[in-house]
Amino acid sequence: PGGAYMFECSCSARMHLRCLALAFRDKVPIVSTKSLELAMRQGADAPPSAGKGVGLMPQNGECPICEQRYTWGQIVRAVTDKRWEAALAAAPPKKPKRQKKPKKDAAPIS
């Protein structure tokens, strides 16, 4: 679709963000506050892990074509920058501001 968020890899492969998110295997784990507090009380060095492919959102992964590694932040930033550039290119040019005519000094009344 025209309004879809697309990412273009350095290998020129183009993917929808939704499809790429599914392809990325490392996800930010879904962890409840209670399970996090329990793990911290038990002396865990790291928060509980949800495992590969399970989670809230992608953390990092690889292009399915060339296997270039990206963080999800890099993907989102690249897509956002491209959409911003496209919006600026499509915007109508700004009209120049009209300059005010200088006021004529009134001749003194004699």
Side-chain angles (χ1 to χ4, degrees):
Y5 287 84
M6 300 287 289
F7 171 72
E8 186 170 343
C9 180
S10 58
C11 71
S12 299
R14 296 187 70 209
M15 295 149 275
H16 295 101
L17 281 187
R18 195 175 276 187
C19 299
L20 195 56
L22 293 172
F24 276 24
R25 301 228 180 265
D26 299 334
K27 311 272 183 168
V28 175
I30 299 174
V31 179
S32 70
T33 307
K34 285 190 177 200
S35 64
L36 187 58
E37 287 173 1
L38 180 62
M40 298 302 264
R41 270 192 244 130
Q42 293 174 349
D45 292 335
S49 174
K52 297 279 186 190
V54 178
L56 183 63
M57 63 182 268
Q59 204 168 15
N60 54 56
E62 300 172 348
C63 169
I65 307 302
C66 71
E67 298 181 354
Q68 170 73 35
R69 285 200 60 81
Y70 293 99
T71 66
W72 191 247
Q74 289 172 315
I75 301 290
V76 171
R77 192 172 305 114
V79 170
T80 304
D81 288 350
K82 270 221 178 231
R83 288 180 69 90
W84 181 250
E85 289 169 8
L88 287 177
K94 290 185 177 181
K95 294 180 182 177
K97 288 185 176 181
R98 294 173 74 190
Q99 292 184 359
K100 294 181 181 178
K101 293 181 181 177
K103 292 183 179 181
K104 294 181 181 178
D105 290 337
I109 301 175
S110 322

